[in-house]
Amino acid sequence: MCQLLGLNCATPTDATFSFTGFCQRGGATDHHADGWGIAFFEGRGLRLFVDHESAADSRMAEFLRSYPLKSRNIIAHVRKATIGQVCLENAHPFTRELWGRHWVFAHNGDLKDYQPHLHAQFRPVGTTDSERAFCWLMQEMAKSHADVPSVAELTLTLRELIPQVRRFGTFNFLLSNGEALWAHCSTKLHWLVREHPFRQASLMDHDWTVDFAQLNQPGDRAAVIVTTPLTRDEQWTAFAPDELKVFVDGQPLG
């Protein structure tokens, strides 16, 4: 199984602290050593980094930990391969274009015998069940809406589509179009919001403590979504099984 990390922020924010701890789970403090990736939205643009090496050992991951790219929506993934070989095309996150926007998706879980019918516009490049599920979600969302829908409309559509994939197995995922971040939990996912008054936090997987009050302004806010809590001194909330949450401007809607 894999692990997920997502940030949805009110203002452009770097993920250096969270990503540093998260990378250790890619082969150092945990066994998710079969590739990794991270995507940063920048306006309508997207920076995507993927690697088939372990995140704990990757020179590219080391570079990103010391080069703080700022974004309002970030999705990262460390992989433990179960379906699909260890190679670059099977590294998450995956990206597609829909309605003139980049979409980014990362998945944790196994979907057994999952072979959905896919049209020409959305086809997987690699061999993972995860990319197949992403392509199907994109295909069905495109069929459901003739033009760019609102976040609320997309959330309703996803609530209808997710059970059709979920019945094939474990379907924890993060999805973003740069405007919002959707997080679905079928087995394990946690979240918190960092906002004023900011406090300090200490990573579980790395010897690093940060005082966020020294780094943030009162208007800053960041929602952090992760498979297993990253810090030992913050209050994380567990998702309920089969819960879908959408985050906008660093806070959950509804």
Side-chain angles (χ1 to χ4, degrees):
M1 301 286 273
C2 309
Q3 290 213 9
L4 304 168
L5 169 65
L7 280 82
N8 171 266
C9 310
T11 56
T13 303
D14 74 74
T16 304
F17 178 72
S18 296
F19 185 61
T20 296
F22 187 66
C23 280
Q24 304 311 306
R25 300 177 179 181
T29 61
D30 214 330
H31 58 264
H32 307 88
D34 297 328
W36 66 275
I38 187 168
F40 302 85
F41 283 91
E42 293 188 21
R44 296 180 67 88
L46 181 74
R47 295 180 188 266
L48 175 67
F49 302 86
V50 292
D51 197 347
H52 64 280
E53 296 182 356
S54 70
D57 298 327
S58 168
R59 295 286 298 275
M60 187 188 302
E62 180 182 0
F63 164 74
L64 291 173
R65 291 195 295 271
S66 61
Y67 186 72
L69 293 171
K70 292 191 174 184
S71 172
R72 294 181 60 191
N73 285 280
I74 301 167
I75 291 179
H77 182 275
V78 289
R79 183 176 184 229
K80 175 64 177 176
T82 53
I83 298 176
Q85 63 182 337
V86 177
C87 57
L88 195 59
E89 60 265 34
N90 286 337
H92 307 220
F94 303 106
T95 68
R96 293 293 188 279
E97 177 275 330
L98 180 58
W99 301 306
R101 298 291 296 268
H102 292 288
W103 287 77
V104 172
F105 175 89
H107 168 231
N108 163 26
D110 290 330
L111 302 172
K112 303 297 185 183
D113 302 316
Y114 182 67
Q115 297 291 337
H117 179 69
L118 297 172
H119 304 314
Q121 183 178 357
F122 298 105
R123 295 286 181 88
V125 175
T127 56
T128 65
D129 53 338
S130 307
E131 191 181 14
R132 288 195 294 273
F134 178 38
C135 288
W136 185 82
L137 286 177
M138 291 290 96
Q139 170 183 285
E140 297 305 306
M141 286 198 298
K143 288 163 57 177
S144 299
H145 302 279
D147 204 351
V148 184
S150 67
V151 170
E153 291 172 323
L154 284 168
T155 303
L156 289 174
T157 301
L158 284 170
R159 291 192 193 282
E160 296 176 355
L161 296 176
I162 287 169
Q164 300 179 56
V165 183
R166 173 71 175 92
R167 63 191 179 92
F168 287 90
T170 305
F171 197 43
N172 304 297
F173 73 76
L174 299 176
L175 173 71
S176 181
N177 62 355
E179 179 182 5
L181 191 153
W182 289 267
H184 178 259
C185 171
S186 61
T187 54
K188 183 189 292 185
L189 209 56
H190 296 79
W191 68 279
L192 59 72
V193 173
R194 293 184 181 132
E195 59 185 345
H196 184 78
F198 292 96
R199 299 174 176 83
Q200 75 173 26
S202 302
L203 291 172
M204 289 185 177
D205 301 86
H206 189 75
D207 184 17
W208 191 6
T209 298
V210 164
D211 183 358
F212 285 105
Q214 301 296 318
L215 302 175
N216 291 276
Q217 303 298 317
D220 295 338
R221 182 174 56 248
V224 184
I225 304 95
V226 70
T227 301
T228 302
L230 285 170
T231 55
R232 63 173 62 94
D233 44 10
E234 294 183 290
Q235 186 64 47
W236 294 86
T237 300
F239 280 66
D242 296 310
E243 181 179 14
L244 174 69
K245 298 184 79 68
V246 57
F247 297 84
V248 176
D249 292 332
Q251 58 189 354
L253 296 184

